[in-house]
Amino acid sequence: MDKKVLSRDGTPLAYERHGDGPAVVLVGGALCTGATLAPLAKALSDRFGAVTYDRRGRGASGDTVSSCTVAREVEDIAALIRACGGTASLYGMSSGGALALRAAASGLPVDAVAVYETPFALHEGRGEERREYTERLTELLGQGRHGDALELFMALTGMPPEMIAGARRSPGWAGMEAIAPTLAYDDAVMGDGLLPRELPASLPMPVLSVAGGASPEWMREAARAVADAAPEGTYRVLERQTHNVDAAALAPLLEEFFGNGGTG
């Protein structure tokens, strides 16, 4: 990340622009940094100015923990859009998709929005699971138990216990612990976990909602529901892809969508 911009509250945000075309801001999900989406940005860079950034509290960006809210993260995206020419399209991955949708709904100068597997629940049972997760996450982070908070999050995603144990022994665990407090930010973006249908319904711009064909059925259902709720929504499935989507598989779809003014 070779550039920085100040958000409204003074938080410095590290970002990088890949390419010189129309701006597309890429919003990562939980535990992601700008580097996570760099392969996708590079794949888009021939046609777009794909912007990766470290969300506050991650990587080379600063943080203002006492005042971090969803509104602050929307202001972060606003600062990036201003730095990249005043208008942009948005792409959000996982919970970053929820943030992208909320930013677009806030009235920012956004041309189009694409999201990949934003993990909203459609049924009250999963909503209850999210509420229990929020309570426990808040408790663990309040106690400084960042490793346990990571394990809780991984369990929420469906990761088996043996894989969680292996992750805890991995060289990358310390880096994840360092940004574990930002799990609270993603939790806030997701709200109660249930799809707020009024959110996509309020968007005046084209919306593309994508899911992987090899992902769980509930994720595909949620992705379709986001598109169905949006006035100009499109739902697409990438066959053989999972939540860990391959940039090479996703980039052509995004190029078509953004390149056609959100009608691809």
Side-chain angles (χ1 to χ4, degrees), residues 39-44 238 241 244-255:
L40 178 60
K42 291 174 182 175
L44 295 173
L238 284 176
Q241 294 299 308
N244 186 24
V245 63
D246 184 352
L250 178 61
L253 182 58
L254 296 184
E255 286 181 351

Side-chain angles (χ1 to χ4, degrees), residues 63-80:
D63 201 2
T64 311
V65 178
S66 61
S67 65
C68 183
T69 63
V70 176
R72 298 291 83 76
E73 289 219 80
V74 169
E75 290 171 358
D76 295 348
I77 293 175
L80 290 163

Side-chain angles (χ1 to χ4, degrees), residues 8 13 51 61 68 77 83 104 134 151 154 172 178 186-187 192 208 248 255 260:
R8 183 177 179 180
L13 304 170
V51 178
S61 290
C68 183
I77 293 175
T134 297
E151 288 194 6
M154 291 175 178
D186 287 277
D187 188 54
D192 65 4
L208 172 66
E255 286 181 351
N260 293 334

Side-chain angles (χ1 to χ4, degrees), residues 7 33 46 78 242 246:
S7 191
T33 64
D46 285 346
T242 65
D246 184 352

